Amino acid sequence: MTKGSRADDLMRFSVAMPESLLMEFDQLVARRGLAKNRSEVVRDLVREALVESRTSLPGTVVMGTLTIVYNHHSPDLQNKLHMIQHDYCDSIVSTMHVHVNEHTCLEVVVIRGVSELVQAVANMILGTKGVKNGKLVLATVEG
Ligand code: NI
């Protein structure tokens, strides 16, 4: 902060980057819609990077949202997923199950705890044989 400025005042700085990268960045800005300009998209990306950096620090309390997709006909898969969730019932806040079609299920598992535990539980679920794909999103809950 410079003298006389407030924490949320907008500060200008210039950024140098290769033209090809800037052109791709402008395409990203365009995809984010008419209400967005370069500055807003840079701010969004910086905020995302800061959240990612904070939530990956061991010991940081986070909320994780894990989304997985699986075929419920996979042998023993539902039972294994159920067992993991009971083993970590103190960390797993909620599970939503969606029957997508005849074969496919989607589950959203909300996990609370320190970053390394949330990631470990998510990796256990993601690594269970038969889980087709999934993604963990971490959110900070402090500050
Ligand atoms: Ni289902």
Side-chain angles (χ1 to χ4, degrees), residues 72 78 97-100 104-105:
H72 75 93
Q78 274 192 307
H97 186 104
V98 179
H99 312 295
V100 177
T104 308
C105 298

Side-chain angles (χ1 to χ4, degrees), residues 38-72:
R38 279 182 182 163
S39 290
E40 283 166 338
V41 175
V42 168
R43 287 196 289 271
D44 289 348
L45 293 174
V46 169
R47 285 190 198 103
E48 283 168 27
L50 289 172
V51 167
E52 199 176 313
S53 161
R54 273 185 223 129
T55 55
S56 61
L57 285 176
T60 306
V61 177
V62 298
M63 295 295 294
T65 309
L66 174 67
T67 304
I68 54 168
V69 174
Y70 62 89
N71 183 326
H72 75 93

